[in-house]
Amino acid sequence: MAAGSCLLLLLLPSLVTASHSPPGCKIRITSKGLDLVKQEGLRFVEQELQNITVSDLHGNEGQFQYNISQVKVTDLQLAFSDLNFQPQQHLVFNINNASISLRFRRQLLYWFFYDIGSINASADGVHIYTVLRLAKDEAGRLKISNMTCNASIARMHAGFSGTLRKVYEFLSTFIVTGMRFLLSQQICPSLEHASLVLLNSLLDTVPVRNYVDEHIGIDYSLLRDPSVSTDTLDLDFKGMFFPRVREDQELENHAVEPVIKETERMVYVAFSEYFFDSAMQSYFQAGVLTIELQGEKVPKDLEVLLRATFFGTIFMLSPSVDAPLRLVLQVSAPPRCTIKPSGTSVSVSAFLNISLVPPDRPPVQLSSMAMETKLSAKVFLQGKALRVQLDLRRFRIYSKQSALESLALFSLQAPLKTLLQLTIMPIINERTKKGVQIPLPEGMDFTREVVTNHAGFLTVGADLHFSKGLREVIEKYRPVPTAAAYSSSQPAEPTLDS
């Protein structure tokens, strides 16, 4: 029994580590970012509250029969509002001392007198307290999983006019009290629908698992529920690329976990070495890290050098000396990314096979040389696309066949490096030009980006900008109501009780 307990204690650290998979990508939203979201969210809340549907109010008081219908919100004043983080996984939206102006239709029957018209009313001292719980759903997407709401109205006034104004003033207690109750009962259901349905449809626009190009895809699923402090909201994403030929592949993450300490910008996005390594391994497994140059695509200076120097003896002995040259550059192992405070680099090992390709005859291989290169990587953000521009820093070629051949290859070092810089690197950078999208909702973009390197990861600090309003995006992805739901939501025609 004691031995089993000791074994459990020994295994506990490894079990904890296994349950906390390090993220390849991490996003932090700060209080400054939340302030911007509040401004856009407040406009959205105002629009939702303006569409509140209040049931008809009717009744009898002695010989009086009254009916209040067609209630419409004409104006809202939500000047005092706050949107704050609340540990552990919550957002708190609080509105104080708001006012709502209403207009509705009145009908009154008193003996043989019938009066019809409109009434203007105002609800003052409106208080709305809403708590949104954020969580990871089954697909790994951030969602609003629950909402609690409390709404109250301190006072309500109604202005009456017309021939039976005195009668309405007599009945105002019943009418105003009823309208106050009905209105307060509609605020939270309206906000609940706005949060759990409409805002979640906006969160559905965040890419979770999608294709980058015809060769690879990326998995941005959340690893766990968001972590919320009083000042920040942190999201841990898997951040793993995968080859489309093997979409179920899982690459174990042994990289350093990104740690974000800054809070000056609205948002920070961190990427570990694992993020970039998984992309390069996926391309490698997809078999696309190969570039072939043949005939006119081979730089003329390099072709002359190859024919005149190192391979001169072979050319003299070969009857196909005038055949076109073919250079095949093939990466021999998945490239590796290294991120240091001084910069980001990529190490690449490859083979360069040089052949003659006589017409209608099998190729004649002249040499196969090994190459080791180190590329400097400039990582930057444009819109929502993370892009990488590569530049050749170090280059070395050698022969695995003999030291003598490696010595002979020394004269090709400079021209082959020039070949890589002028011919191969533009091809590679053209492939990385599109970049990969960062997991942000549609209509939200980054501005004023700053990239900072750390040991094992880099961060991109930026501010946020709404290129589209919440309403515009939500209307685009709003769930289509069914015919039954639509018909049941239509207000009934006002009637008088008999």
Side-chain angles (χ1 to χ4, degrees), residues 46 64-65 74 82 97 145 182 221 251 279 291 365 368 392:
E46 289 176 349
F64 295 100
Q65 298 181 39
T74 58
D82 288 304
N97 202 26
S145 62
L182 291 176
S221 58
L251 177 64
I291 296 177
Q365 181 167 312
S368 178
L392 183 61

Side-chain angles (χ1 to χ4, degrees), residues 318-426:
S318 174
S320 57
V321 65
D322 292 331
L325 279 177
R326 181 172 66 188
L327 278 63
V328 179
L329 180 63
Q330 183 174 8
V331 175
S332 56
R336 287 289 176 260
C337 174
T338 303
I339 303 176
K340 297 181 179 179
S342 57
T344 302
S345 62
V346 178
S347 300
V348 184
S349 298
F351 288 109
L352 178 62
N353 296 318
I354 303 177
S355 306
L356 290 172
V357 283
D360 302 324
R361 293 178 60 185
V364 179
Q365 181 167 312
L366 301 180
S367 180
S368 178
M369 61 187 75
M371 300 175 55
E372 291 182 357
T373 62
K374 180 164 283 190
L375 311 175
S376 62
K378 179 184 178 183
V379 181
F380 60 98
L381 207 58
Q382 189 169 7
K384 278 189 293 191
L386 182 73
R387 299 181 177 180
V388 179
Q389 185 173 1
L390 300 170
D391 190 24
L392 183 61
R393 182 190 300 176
R394 291 208 301 264
F395 171 77
R396 184 173 76 94
I397 56 173
Y398 60 95
S399 172
K400 290 189 174 182
Q401 298 175 2
S402 68
L404 181 62
E405 187 174 10
S406 294
L407 182 62
L409 290 174
F410 184 77
S411 61
L412 295 176
Q413 190 94 7
L416 285 177
K417 184 176 182 180
T418 302
L419 168 70
L420 289 175
Q421 288 175 324
L422 299 181
T423 306
I424 306 300
M425 295 309 300

Side-chain angles (χ1 to χ4, degrees), residues 97-400:
N97 202 26
S99 64
I100 303 176
S101 298
L102 304 169
R103 186 176 181 86
F104 46 87
R105 186 172 182 262
R106 72 173 189 266
Q107 290 175 291
L108 176 66
L109 180 63
Y110 176 62
W111 290 99
F112 302 106
F113 297 97
Y114 180 72
D115 184 49
I116 187 170
S118 61
I119 298 176
N120 294 320
S122 64
D124 299 321
V126 179
H127 176 68
I128 306 171
Y129 184 81
T130 304
V131 179
L132 305 176
R133 186 179 188 275
L134 303 175
K136 174 181 76 73
D137 69 2
E138 294 181 356
R141 178 178 276 111
L142 178 66
K143 283 298 182 70
I144 300 172
S145 62
N146 191 25
M147 171 188 163
T148 57
C149 175
N150 291 302
S152 62
I153 300 175
R155 52 198 175 274
M156 192 164 185
H157 307 281
F160 302 97
S161 62
T163 57
L164 298 179
R165 181 172 59 87
K166 293 296 183 182
V167 176
Y168 274 105
E169 289 177 353
F170 172 74
L171 296 173
S172 63
T173 301
F174 303 102
I175 296 174
V176 170
T177 301
M179 288 301 301
R180 176 182 170 188
F181 173 78
L182 291 176
L183 180 61
S184 63
Q185 291 298 303
Q186 292 301 316
I187 291 175
C188 284
S190 176
L191 294 182
E192 182 176 357
H193 177 264
S195 301
L196 299 181
V197 178
L198 302 184
L199 288 181
N200 274 338
S201 69
L202 174 71
L203 293 175
D204 283 337
T205 66
V206 177
V208 172
R209 187 178 177 89
N210 62 323
Y211 294 140
V212 176
D213 53 30
E214 64 271 24
H215 305 296
I216 68 171
I218 186 168
D219 189 337
Y220 272 132
S221 58
L222 282 170
L223 294 174
R224 55 193 65 89
D225 288 335
S227 175
V228 182
S229 70
T230 55
D231 299 315
T232 60
L233 183 151
D234 289 341
L235 301 167
D236 290 347
F237 297 93
K238 181 180 287 187
M240 184 197 76
F241 292 83
F242 56 87
R244 293 182 60 171
V245 293
R246 295 177 58 188
E247 294 194 14
D248 58 344
Q249 173 180 282
E250 287 286 337
L251 177 64
E252 193 171 353
N253 187 353
H254 298 290
V256 174
E257 179 172 349
V259 178
I260 304 175
K261 298 180 179 180
E262 300 89 346
T263 57
E264 291 78 15
R265 295 297 186 94
M266 293 183 181
V267 63
Y268 290 88
V269 188
F271 304 95
S272 74
E273 293 173 344
Y274 171 82
F275 180 86
F276 301 100
D277 284 346
S278 66
M280 292 182 289
Q281 177 157 328
S282 297
Y283 275 123
F284 178 78
Q285 292 184 345
V288 296
L289 296 186
T290 301
I291 296 177
E292 180 176 318
L293 302 177
Q294 182 174 322
E296 295 181 354
K297 292 185 178 181
V298 178
K300 198 66 179 177
D301 293 344
L302 179 61
E303 181 181 1
V304 171
L305 181 64
L306 290 174
R307 291 183 183 276
T309 57
F310 180 67
F311 298 110
T313 305
I314 300 176
F315 290 150
M316 291 295 293
L317 298 176
S318 174
S320 57
V321 65
D322 292 331
L325 279 177
R326 181 172 66 188
L327 278 63
V328 179
L329 180 63
Q330 183 174 8
V331 175
S332 56
R336 287 289 176 260
C337 174
T338 303
I339 303 176
K340 297 181 179 179
S342 57
T344 302
S345 62
V346 178
S347 300
V348 184
S349 298
F351 288 109
L352 178 62
N353 296 318
I354 303 177
S355 306
L356 290 172
V357 283
D360 302 324
R361 293 178 60 185
V364 179
Q365 181 167 312
L366 301 180
S367 180
S368 178
M369 61 187 75
M371 300 175 55
E372 291 182 357
T373 62
K374 180 164 283 190
L375 311 175
S376 62
K378 179 184 178 183
V379 181
F380 60 98
L381 207 58
Q382 189 169 7
K384 278 189 293 191
L386 182 73
R387 299 181 177 180
V388 179
Q389 185 173 1
L390 300 170
D391 190 24
L392 183 61
R393 182 190 300 176
R394 291 208 301 264
F395 171 77
R396 184 173 76 94
I397 56 173
Y398 60 95
S399 172
K400 290 189 174 182

Side-chain angles (χ1 to χ4, degrees), residues 12 36 49 52 67 138 179 186 332 404 427 488 490 498:
L12 186 59
L36 179 68
L49 293 180
I52 285 179
N67 188 26
E138 294 181 356
M179 288 301 301
Q186 292 301 316
S332 56
L404 181 62
I427 296 176
S488 64
Q490 299 303 300
S498 56

